[in-house]
Amino acid sequence: IRSLGLQCLFIWIVAVTIWFADRMFCSFWLSISFPYLHSFWHVLILFSSNQAIIICAYLTIKQQNPQANLHLHFWPNDQAG
């Protein structure tokens, strides 16, 4: 869960940096015919939000049931059965 949290934070920081660059340098991006930076922000925020929801659900369950033995499984790289 810790590595998922760090990954979520990293993606969020990159997304906010892209959003900031899009807002501050919009005329530059348009001058080089690259108006797509804002769409990258949306995609990264989507991934970050999904991870944040998983983290919040995990932590909520652990708070409500501390003795629960939780395991996060993910597709397609999880080898656990």
Side-chain angles (χ1 to χ4, degrees), residues 1 4 6 10 12 14 21 23-24 27-32 42 50 56 59-60 63 65 69 71 73-74 76 81:
I1 195 74
L4 184 64
L6 291 173
F10 175 76
W12 184 84
V14 171
R23 298 287 294 177
M24 296 301 294
S27 59
F28 169 74
W29 300 118
L30 291 175
S31 72
I32 63 170
H42 280 281
N50 182 44
C56 288
L59 294 176
T60 300
Q63 182 183 23
N65 191 1
N69 188 14
H71 299 280
H73 296 277
F74 55 95

mmCIF file of all heavy atoms in Angstrom, residues 1 4 6 10 12 14 21 23-24 27-32 42 50 56 59-60 63 65 69 71 73-74 76 81:
data_model
loop_
_atom_site.group_PDB
_atom_site.id
_atom_site.type_symbol
_atom_site.label_atom_id
_atom_site.label_comp_id
_atom_site.label_asym_id
_atom_site.label_seq_id
_atom_site.Cartn_x
_atom_site.Cartn_y
_atom_site.Cartn_z
ATOM 1 N N ILE A 1 0.830 -1.188 0.000
ATOM 2 C CA ILE A 1 0.000 0.000 0.000
ATOM 3 C C ILE A 1 0.877 1.255 0.000
ATOM 4 O O ILE A 1 0.526 2.267 -0.580
ATOM 5 C CB ILE A 1 -0.999 -0.035 1.181
ATOM 6 C CG1 ILE A 1 -2.111 0.988 0.985
ATOM 7 C CG2 ILE A 1 -0.317 0.212 2.496
ATOM 8 C CD1 ILE A 1 -3.118 0.675 -0.015
ATOM 9 N N LEU A 4 2.008 1.944 -3.547
ATOM 10 C CA LEU A 4 0.881 2.478 -4.303
ATOM 11 C C LEU A 4 0.653 3.945 -3.949
ATOM 12 O O LEU A 4 0.393 4.770 -4.821
ATOM 13 C CB LEU A 4 -0.387 1.665 -4.031
ATOM 14 C CG LEU A 4 -1.625 2.057 -4.834
ATOM 15 C CD1 LEU A 4 -1.393 1.824 -6.327
ATOM 16 C CD2 LEU A 4 -2.828 1.280 -4.350
ATOM 17 N N LEU A 6 2.969 6.080 -2.868
ATOM 18 C CA LEU A 6 4.057 6.861 -3.464
ATOM 19 C C LEU A 6 3.856 7.038 -4.966
ATOM 20 O O LEU A 6 4.085 8.117 -5.514
ATOM 21 C CB LEU A 6 5.404 6.195 -3.177
ATOM 22 C CG LEU A 6 5.852 6.235 -1.717
ATOM 23 C CD1 LEU A 6 7.117 5.405 -1.533
ATOM 24 C CD2 LEU A 6 6.057 7.665 -1.253
ATOM 25 N N PHE A 10 3.345 10.578 -6.879
ATOM 26 C CA PHE A 10 4.207 10.953 -8.004
ATOM 27 C C PHE A 10 3.370 11.321 -9.234
ATOM 28 O O PHE A 10 3.617 12.345 -9.874
ATOM 29 C CB PHE A 10 5.180 9.820 -8.333
ATOM 30 C CG PHE A 10 6.017 10.096 -9.546
ATOM 31 C CD1 PHE A 10 7.072 10.979 -9.478
ATOM 32 C CD2 PHE A 10 5.731 9.475 -10.758
ATOM 33 C CE1 PHE A 10 7.844 11.249 -10.600
ATOM 34 C CE2 PHE A 10 6.491 9.742 -11.881
ATOM 35 C CZ PHE A 10 7.553 10.627 -11.799
ATOM 36 N N TRP A 12 0.288 12.308 -9.283
ATOM 37 C CA TRP A 12 -0.440 13.537 -8.988
ATOM 38 C C TRP A 12 0.459 14.759 -9.145
ATOM 39 O O TRP A 12 0.038 15.767 -9.719
ATOM 40 C CB TRP A 12 -1.023 13.469 -7.575
ATOM 41 C CG TRP A 12 -1.861 14.647 -7.229
ATOM 42 C CD1 TRP A 12 -3.171 14.829 -7.530
ATOM 43 C CD2 TRP A 12 -1.434 15.822 -6.531
ATOM 44 N NE1 TRP A 12 -3.590 16.042 -7.051
ATOM 45 C CE2 TRP A 12 -2.542 16.673 -6.433
ATOM 46 C CE3 TRP A 12 -0.226 16.224 -5.973
ATOM 47 C CZ2 TRP A 12 -2.489 17.910 -5.810
ATOM 48 C CZ3 TRP A 12 -0.162 17.459 -5.355
ATOM 49 C CH2 TRP A 12 -1.293 18.286 -5.276
ATOM 50 N N VAL A 14 3.146 15.033 -11.059
ATOM 51 C CA VAL A 14 3.374 15.217 -12.500
ATOM 52 C C VAL A 14 2.141 15.852 -13.146
ATOM 53 O O VAL A 14 2.257 16.775 -13.952
ATOM 54 C CB VAL A 14 3.735 13.876 -13.181
ATOM 55 C CG1 VAL A 14 3.754 14.009 -14.688
ATOM 56 C CG2 VAL A 14 5.081 13.379 -12.681
ATOM 57 N N ALA A 21 1.895 24.081 -16.123
ATOM 58 C CA ALA A 21 2.573 24.468 -17.364
ATOM 59 C C ALA A 21 1.556 24.818 -18.450
ATOM 60 O O ALA A 21 1.764 25.764 -19.223
ATOM 61 C CB ALA A 21 3.484 23.344 -17.843
ATOM 62 N N ARG A 23 -1.487 26.024 -17.948
ATOM 63 C CA ARG A 23 -2.127 27.295 -17.599
ATOM 64 C C ARG A 23 -1.185 28.484 -17.793
ATOM 65 O O ARG A 23 -1.588 29.531 -18.279
ATOM 66 C CB ARG A 23 -2.604 27.271 -16.141
ATOM 67 C CG ARG A 23 -3.639 26.233 -15.838
ATOM 68 C CD ARG A 23 -4.969 26.568 -16.404
ATOM 69 N NE ARG A 23 -5.471 27.764 -15.734
ATOM 70 C CZ ARG A 23 -6.595 28.354 -16.026
ATOM 71 N NH1 ARG A 23 -7.340 27.878 -16.983
ATOM 72 N NH2 ARG A 23 -6.986 29.416 -15.386
ATOM 73 N N MET A 24 0.067 28.336 -17.413
ATOM 74 C CA MET A 24 1.011 29.454 -17.455
ATOM 75 C C MET A 24 1.550 29.726 -18.862
ATOM 76 O O MET A 24 1.845 30.868 -19.207
ATOM 77 C CB MET A 24 2.185 29.203 -16.498
ATOM 78 C CG MET A 24 1.782 29.143 -15.034
ATOM 79 S SD MET A 24 0.974 30.651 -14.462
ATOM 80 C CE MET A 24 2.302 31.799 -14.576
ATOM 81 N N SER A 27 -0.162 30.103 -24.390
ATOM 82 C CA SER A 27 0.137 30.725 -25.695
ATOM 83 C C SER A 27 1.350 30.071 -26.356
ATOM 84 O O SER A 27 1.390 29.920 -27.582
ATOM 85 C CB SER A 27 0.353 32.226 -25.540
ATOM 86 O OG SER A 27 1.408 32.478 -24.644
ATOM 87 N N PHE A 28 2.323 29.648 -25.549
ATOM 88 C CA PHE A 28 3.491 28.963 -26.108
ATOM 89 C C PHE A 28 3.085 27.631 -26.734
ATOM 90 O O PHE A 28 3.486 27.310 -27.854
ATOM 91 C CB PHE A 28 4.555 28.744 -25.039
ATOM 92 C CG PHE A 28 5.658 27.822 -25.477
ATOM 93 C CD1 PHE A 28 6.613 28.255 -26.383
ATOM 94 C CD2 PHE A 28 5.730 26.523 -25.010
ATOM 95 C CE1 PHE A 28 7.628 27.401 -26.807
ATOM 96 C CE2 PHE A 28 6.730 25.667 -25.422
ATOM 97 C CZ PHE A 28 7.680 26.115 -26.328
ATOM 98 N N TRP A 29 2.295 26.840 -26.001
ATOM 99 C CA TRP A 29 1.886 25.532 -26.516
ATOM 100 C C TRP A 29 1.071 25.681 -27.797
ATOM 101 O O TRP A 29 1.210 24.881 -28.718
ATOM 102 C CB TRP A 29 1.084 24.751 -25.467
ATOM 103 C CG TRP A 29 1.857 24.501 -24.209
ATOM 104 C CD1 TRP A 29 1.546 24.951 -22.961
ATOM 105 C CD2 TRP A 29 3.080 23.774 -24.066
ATOM 106 N NE1 TRP A 29 2.495 24.546 -22.061
ATOM 107 C CE2 TRP A 29 3.445 23.821 -22.703
ATOM 108 C CE3 TRP A 29 3.902 23.089 -24.947
ATOM 109 C CZ2 TRP A 29 4.594 23.207 -22.214
ATOM 110 C CZ3 TRP A 29 5.051 22.482 -24.458
ATOM 111 C CH2 TRP A 29 5.389 22.541 -23.115
ATOM 112 N N LEU A 30 0.240 26.711 -27.847
ATOM 113 C CA LEU A 30 -0.537 26.952 -29.065
ATOM 114 C C LEU A 30 0.347 27.412 -30.218
ATOM 115 O O LEU A 30 0.109 27.050 -31.371
ATOM 116 C CB LEU A 30 -1.628 27.983 -28.799
ATOM 117 C CG LEU A 30 -2.756 27.511 -27.881
ATOM 118 C CD1 LEU A 30 -3.718 28.653 -27.592
ATOM 119 C CD2 LEU A 30 -3.479 26.326 -28.486
ATOM 120 N N SER A 31 1.399 28.182 -29.910
ATOM 121 C CA SER A 31 2.292 28.662 -30.973
ATOM 122 C C SER A 31 3.087 27.539 -31.622
ATOM 123 O O SER A 31 3.483 27.645 -32.779
ATOM 124 C CB SER A 31 3.242 29.736 -30.433
ATOM 125 O OG SER A 31 4.217 29.163 -29.577
ATOM 126 N N ILE A 32 3.331 26.464 -30.887
ATOM 127 C CA ILE A 32 4.050 25.322 -31.472
ATOM 128 C C ILE A 32 3.080 24.213 -31.884
ATOM 129 O O ILE A 32 3.487 23.075 -32.103
ATOM 130 C CB ILE A 32 5.145 24.782 -30.530
ATOM 131 C CG1 ILE A 32 4.547 24.242 -29.224
ATOM 132 C CG2 ILE A 32 6.200 25.835 -30.258
ATOM 133 C CD1 ILE A 32 5.545 23.478 -28.367
ATOM 134 N N HIS A 42 -5.681 15.423 -17.650
ATOM 135 C CA HIS A 42 -6.890 14.661 -17.358
ATOM 136 C C HIS A 42 -6.595 13.167 -17.211
ATOM 137 O O HIS A 42 -7.126 12.521 -16.304
ATOM 138 C CB HIS A 42 -7.942 14.876 -18.453
ATOM 139 C CG HIS A 42 -8.690 16.148 -18.311
ATOM 140 N ND1 HIS A 42 -9.719 16.320 -17.416
ATOM 141 C CD2 HIS A 42 -8.567 17.331 -18.954
ATOM 142 C CE1 HIS A 42 -10.193 17.535 -17.510
ATOM 143 N NE2 HIS A 42 -9.510 18.184 -18.444
ATOM 144 N N ASN A 50 -7.914 7.077 -9.259
ATOM 145 C CA ASN A 50 -8.226 5.660 -9.106
ATOM 146 C C ASN A 50 -7.363 5.037 -8.006
ATOM 147 O O ASN A 50 -7.866 4.295 -7.161
ATOM 148 C CB ASN A 50 -8.033 4.927 -10.429
ATOM 149 C CG ASN A 50 -8.402 3.468 -10.327
ATOM 150 O OD1 ASN A 50 -9.413 3.121 -9.750
ATOM 151 N ND2 ASN A 50 -7.577 2.612 -10.885
ATOM 152 N N CYS A 56 -7.742 4.756 -0.095
ATOM 153 C CA CYS A 56 -8.739 5.143 0.907
ATOM 154 C C CYS A 56 -9.605 3.957 1.322
ATOM 155 O O CYS A 56 -9.908 3.794 2.518
ATOM 156 C CB CYS A 56 -9.612 6.284 0.385
ATOM 157 S SG CYS A 56 -8.760 7.865 0.308
ATOM 158 N N LEU A 59 -7.440 1.710 3.604
ATOM 159 C CA LEU A 59 -7.232 2.291 4.933
ATOM 160 C C LEU A 59 -8.527 2.333 5.744
ATOM 161 O O LEU A 59 -8.495 2.152 6.969
ATOM 162 C CB LEU A 59 -6.627 3.689 4.813
ATOM 163 C CG LEU A 59 -5.210 3.728 4.231
ATOM 164 C CD1 LEU A 59 -4.742 5.166 4.053
ATOM 165 C CD2 LEU A 59 -4.246 2.934 5.087
ATOM 166 N N THR A 60 -9.652 2.536 5.098
ATOM 167 C CA THR A 60 -10.941 2.525 5.797
ATOM 168 C C THR A 60 -11.240 1.144 6.359
ATOM 169 O O THR A 60 -11.661 1.003 7.516
ATOM 170 C CB THR A 60 -12.068 2.975 4.851
ATOM 171 O OG1 THR A 60 -11.793 4.299 4.400
ATOM 172 C CG2 THR A 60 -13.416 2.936 5.550
ATOM 173 N N GLN A 63 -8.998 0.460 9.286
ATOM 174 C CA GLN A 63 -9.402 1.209 10.480
ATOM 175 C C GLN A 63 -10.625 0.566 11.134
ATOM 176 O O GLN A 63 -10.696 0.480 12.356
ATOM 177 C CB GLN A 63 -9.710 2.656 10.117
ATOM 178 C CG GLN A 63 -10.096 3.504 11.315
ATOM 179 C CD GLN A 63 -10.479 4.912 10.930
ATOM 180 O OE1 GLN A 63 -10.862 5.168 9.799
ATOM 181 N NE2 GLN A 63 -10.372 5.828 11.872
ATOM 182 N N ASN A 65 -11.568 -2.588 10.807
ATOM 183 C CA ASN A 65 -11.299 -3.981 11.171
ATOM 184 C C ASN A 65 -9.787 -4.197 11.198
ATOM 185 O O ASN A 65 -9.220 -4.760 10.258
ATOM 186 C CB ASN A 65 -11.986 -4.913 10.163
ATOM 187 C CG ASN A 65 -11.986 -6.343 10.602
ATOM 188 O OD1 ASN A 65 -11.488 -6.678 11.677
ATOM 189 N ND2 ASN A 65 -12.532 -7.210 9.769
ATOM 190 N N ASN A 69 -6.726 -9.305 7.441
ATOM 191 C CA ASN A 69 -5.508 -9.625 6.715
ATOM 192 C C ASN A 69 -5.753 -9.317 5.235
ATOM 193 O O ASN A 69 -6.174 -10.181 4.474
ATOM 194 C CB ASN A 69 -5.140 -11.093 6.934
ATOM 195 C CG ASN A 69 -3.783 -11.424 6.373
ATOM 196 O OD1 ASN A 69 -3.005 -10.525 6.052
ATOM 197 N ND2 ASN A 69 -3.489 -12.699 6.247
ATOM 198 N N HIS A 71 -4.942 -8.132 1.320
ATOM 199 C CA HIS A 71 -3.942 -8.238 0.269
ATOM 200 C C HIS A 71 -4.465 -7.511 -0.962
ATOM 201 O O HIS A 71 -5.602 -7.721 -1.370
ATOM 202 C CB HIS A 71 -3.669 -9.700 -0.097
ATOM 203 C CG HIS A 71 -3.156 -10.509 1.022
ATOM 204 N ND1 HIS A 71 -1.836 -10.492 1.414
ATOM 205 C CD2 HIS A 71 -3.781 -11.365 1.866
ATOM 206 C CE1 HIS A 71 -1.672 -11.304 2.440
ATOM 207 N NE2 HIS A 71 -2.855 -11.847 2.737
ATOM 208 N N HIS A 73 -4.476 -7.123 -4.842
ATOM 209 C CA HIS A 73 -4.173 -7.863 -6.061
ATOM 210 C C HIS A 73 -4.425 -6.948 -7.245
ATOM 211 O O HIS A 73 -5.340 -6.126 -7.220
ATOM 212 C CB HIS A 73 -5.047 -9.115 -6.185
ATOM 213 C CG HIS A 73 -4.796 -10.107 -5.106
ATOM 214 N ND1 HIS A 73 -3.771 -11.018 -5.160
ATOM 215 C CD2 HIS A 73 -5.423 -10.320 -3.919
ATOM 216 C CE1 HIS A 73 -3.782 -11.755 -4.073
ATOM 217 N NE2 HIS A 73 -4.788 -11.354 -3.297
ATOM 218 N N PHE A 74 -3.629 -7.090 -8.263
ATOM 219 C CA PHE A 74 -3.802 -6.256 -9.432
ATOM 220 C C PHE A 74 -3.595 -7.083 -10.682
ATOM 221 O O PHE A 74 -2.944 -8.113 -10.665
ATOM 222 C CB PHE A 74 -2.851 -5.054 -9.409
ATOM 223 C CG PHE A 74 -1.406 -5.421 -9.247
ATOM 224 C CD1 PHE A 74 -0.587 -5.563 -10.358
ATOM 225 C CD2 PHE A 74 -0.856 -5.624 -8.001
ATOM 226 C CE1 PHE A 74 0.737 -5.906 -10.225
ATOM 227 C CE2 PHE A 74 0.466 -5.952 -7.855
ATOM 228 C CZ PHE A 74 1.276 -6.104 -8.968
ATOM 229 N N PRO A 76 -2.512 -6.905 -14.814
ATOM 230 C CA PRO A 76 -2.241 -8.301 -15.173
ATOM 231 C C PRO A 76 -0.970 -8.846 -14.533
ATOM 232 O O PRO A 76 -0.568 -9.955 -14.834
ATOM 233 C CB PRO A 76 -2.044 -8.202 -16.677
ATOM 234 C CG PRO A 76 -1.378 -6.898 -16.896
ATOM 235 C CD PRO A 76 -1.982 -5.995 -15.836
ATOM 236 N N GLY A 81 -2.618 -16.221 -6.568
ATOM 237 C CA GLY A 81 -3.836 -16.879 -7.022
ATOM 238 C C GLY A 81 -4.974 -16.405 -6.267
ATOM 239 O O GLY A 81 -6.045 -16.207 -6.377
#
